Amino acid sequence: MTAQTRETVQRLLHAMATGEDAGALFAEKVDWRLDWPEEGHPAVPWIRPRGTREEAAAHFRELRAHHVPEKDASQVHGILVDGPDAVVLATIAQTVRATGREYTAHCALHLTVENGVITRYHVYEDSLSVATALTG
């Protein structure tokens, strides 16, 4: 199980870095959480409640559309795997397309992989730096 979890996480990180469709990596129903108010954040259009494979795929498309992919300097610092659970420790370093502002946010991503697909996607990040880059 640990090997399958690690492989799925690495496939997700690859899709996020390259802009490939990540939707197929998610279960039909996903326990989705971003460390923001439950209703989302009006200044950050990709942040809102989600819970399906299609909504997960849309999240990554929207995230990419609002950033300049060529200026992505995000880094993964470590991946911890314990059975079906994984934690990715990373630094997000992006440039917002609409404002041209750069931001850096430390984050942890908690994933659960069951039967080869992601059933839990919880992100804990420095949301203030993201919102500030979008609003000034």
Side-chain angles (χ1 to χ4, degrees):
M1 175 152 326
T2 297
Q4 182 181 57
T5 300
R6 184 174 298 279
E7 178 185 338
T8 302
V9 169
Q10 289 174 331
R11 289 176 53 209
L12 174 65
L13 294 173
H14 176 77
M16 291 169 69
T18 62
E20 293 176 17
D21 181 17
L25 298 172
F26 287 84
E28 286 295 326
K29 297 289 183 188
V30 182
D31 175 7
W32 186 276
R33 178 181 175 181
L34 296 173
D35 196 24
W36 292 73
E38 187 174 319
E39 67 277 1
H41 191 287
V44 187
W46 62 88
I47 302 297
R48 63 179 174 280
R50 299 182 192 260
T52 67
R53 173 183 290 156
E54 292 78 21
E55 291 169 344
H59 169 80
F60 295 107
R61 285 192 304 271
E62 292 166 21
L63 190 61
R64 193 159 181 85
H66 285 88
H67 292 91
V68 181
E70 300 80 24
K71 293 187 175 185
D72 183 354
S74 301
Q75 294 183 319
V76 173
H77 305 295
I79 302 171
L80 310 169
V81 178
D82 183 15
D85 290 304
V87 174
V88 178
L89 303 173
T91 302
I92 301 167
Q94 292 275 16
T95 301
V96 176
R97 188 180 304 275
T99 64
R101 289 190 184 100
E102 297 175 355
Y103 68 89
T104 301
H106 299 289
C107 77
L109 172 62
H110 178 195
L111 302 164
T112 300
V113 176
E114 298 173 4
N115 300 316
V117 292
I118 299 166
T119 59
R120 176 192 337 232
Y121 183 89
H122 289 192
V123 179
Y124 305 93
E125 67 183 355
D126 177 3
S127 54
L128 179 60
S129 66
V130 178
T132 299
L134 273 100
T135 62

